Structure formats: structure tokens, C-alpha cells
Amino acid sequence: MRNNLNIILLGAPGAGKGTQAAVVAQELGLVHIATGDLFRQALEKGTGVAAQAKSYMEKGLLVPDEITIKMVLERISAPDCQSGVIFDGFPRNLKQAEALDKALAQKEDAIDKVVYIKVSEKELLERLGGRWICRKCQTPYHEVNSPPKVWGKCDKCGGELYQRPDDTTETVKKRLVVYFEETAPLIDYYTKAGKLLEIDGEGAVEEVAGRIVRGLRKEAIR
Ligand SMILES: [Zn+2]
């Protein structure tokens, strides 16, 4: 009988996954494992599996799935992870998800729940796109959340507002399309396994965190 809890957080860019993972980890006493942090640590540490990852990163190449999985497994076998972990940014695709399940099964461990933080495309576009910046004083504006008083002009200095290429609706839309293409099979996979917990990701950070914690307490905590 296991007495740990392993959670995966899924969500599109802009869904607030990293923030939620940190809050929920603290609330439930789990270790927050962000693959971004693992990669950064690998660059500093540079021994064993980390050294392999490092050699790819230094060449500007994507770290292969096998190496990412090894790093994750090494991290979760550390003593501080005994009561469980919350994954943020991993698995990214079906291959990683299957490899993770297989590796956990070998240690008589498993993923308990997969929280999918659902935010509508409209809201994601609002959060990620629609940013405008003043050419003169760099004050940021947002079309919906903090528009300037006069369209295209800075409230503070009257300077011209412009959009960075990353912030245009078209670029943001493309990023979301890529994300959903990769994630749709994951959502299917965990739904079939009876592990998916869909959470409404719209609203304040604390509200969403409350929904996640309540959902997990109801369904996954024995
Ligand atoms: Zn300005």
C-alpha cells in the first residue's frame, strides 16, 4: 500500500500552471518538480544524467525524451520526494507519459491524478496576447486589462504604442495550436486511465488553487 501522492499538472501556456503547482505543492506537502528547474540544475551540476542533458543544451539542442525521463526519475527517488510530487512541465507528450508510467510501475509507484487546468482559448489569448508597449517610456498596456485612455498612445508620455512580435495575437495563436496538438493525446491517455481531473482555470490564483486542492482531496487522497 502506497502512502505517497503523485500529481501531474497540465495546462496551456498562460493557464498559470507553474504558479498553481507551487501553491498546491505547499498546501499538500508535495515536492514541486518543474522540468525547467531540473534543466537549469543540470547545467550547474553536470554529473551523471545531468551531464548528458547538459551536452545537448550547450549545443542548443532539445534534450531527448530518454534523458529527460532519467533526470525526472533520479529527482523523484531523492528522500525529500517520499510523500509525493507534483509535476509541472512534464510529461510533454505521450511517449514521456508512457515511459513515466512504466518506470513508476517498476518501483510499485504510480501517478494518482492528472489535473488539467482548463482555460478557454479566448481567455488565453487575452492573457498572452494583446500587450502593447510605449516606444518612449516602455510602459506596458493591455488591450483588455489595462488599455490606454487614447488608443495607440501612452497615457504617461503620449508616446506611440507598439507590439512585440511575440505578443501579437497571431504568434500567440500559433503557440497555442502547437501546445494543444501535443497535449490532446495526453488528455485522452489520462482520461482513459480514469485519472484526469479537469479544473476551471479562470479566476483569481487563490480561487483556482482552492478548486484544485478540494478536487484532489475529494478524489485522490486516501
Ligand atoms: Zn510612454
Side-chain angles (χ1 to χ4, degrees):
M1 178 86 181
R2 292 167 50 219
N3 54 7
N4 63 341
L5 182 67
N6 296 321
I7 305 295
I8 291 170
L9 277 197
L10 292 180
K17 199 165 19 112
T19 311
Q20 293 301 337
V23 176
V24 173
Q26 194 167 29
E27 190 83 16
L28 298 177
L30 306 173
V31 174
H32 174 192
I33 298 192
T35 31
D37 292 343
L38 286 185
F39 289 133
R40 267 190 294 281
Q41 284 157 12
L43 282 175
E44 287 160 21
K45 200 170 118 200
T47 55
V49 195
Q52 293 175 35
K54 189 178 171 178
S55 71
Y56 284 92
M57 283 184 278
E58 282 173 347
K59 287 176 203 142
L61 298 171
L62 210 64
V63 178
D65 283 346
E66 304 77 58
I67 295 176
T68 305
I69 289 159
K70 270 195 211 161
M71 280 172 65
V72 169
L73 292 174
E74 191 180 86
R75 178 65 190 92
I76 64 175
S77 56
D80 65 325
C81 293
Q82 266 176 10
S83 25
V85 297
I86 182 157
F87 290 109
D88 153 23
F90 180 87
R92 254 190 206 292
N93 53 44
L94 195 56
K95 194 179 157 211
Q96 288 187 348
E98 286 168 349
L100 178 66
D101 275 350
K102 209 171 146 193
L104 288 174
Q106 280 169 1
K107 315 196 297 168
E108 290 176 11
D109 204 349
I111 293 296
D112 297 285
K113 275 286 164 192
V114 178
V115 176
Y116 174 46
I117 306 175
K118 196 171 183 183
V119 175
S120 70
E121 195 188 352
K122 184 175 167 277
E123 169 85 14
L124 291 173
L125 284 171
E126 278 181 17
R127 289 186 193 178
L128 295 170
R131 278 191 292 199
W132 293 76
I133 298 167
C134 172
R135 264 191 215 286
K136 272 196 205 157
C137 73
Q138 314 302 319
T139 301
Y141 293 87
H142 190 278
E143 283 172 13
V144 178
N145 305 328
S146 54
K149 290 196 184 86
V150 179
W151 182 248
K153 268 195 178 161
C154 178
D155 291 351
K156 288 184 184 162
C157 72
E160 182 201 2
L161 303 184
Y162 77 105
Q163 264 195 317
R164 284 190 304 218
D166 275 2
D167 295 337
T168 64
T169 308
E170 276 318 299
T171 315
V172 171
K173 265 190 185 159
K174 273 184 205 146
R175 269 170 73 198
L176 291 177
V177 166
V178 170
Y179 172 79
F180 285 114
E181 271 172 9
E182 272 203 322
T183 312
L186 278 182
I187 291 177
D188 257 16
Y189 177 73
Y190 290 121
T191 302
K192 278 179 193 142
K195 291 180 179 177
L196 200 81
L197 177 64
E198 192 176 293
I199 298 288
D200 174 8
E202 300 190 20
V205 169
E206 316 80 63
E207 277 176 60
V208 177
R211 286 177 206 142
I212 297 174
V213 169
R214 282 193 302 275
L216 287 173
R217 289 218 163 107
K218 214 167 110 191
E219 288 197 36
I221 299 177
R222 296 161 294 261

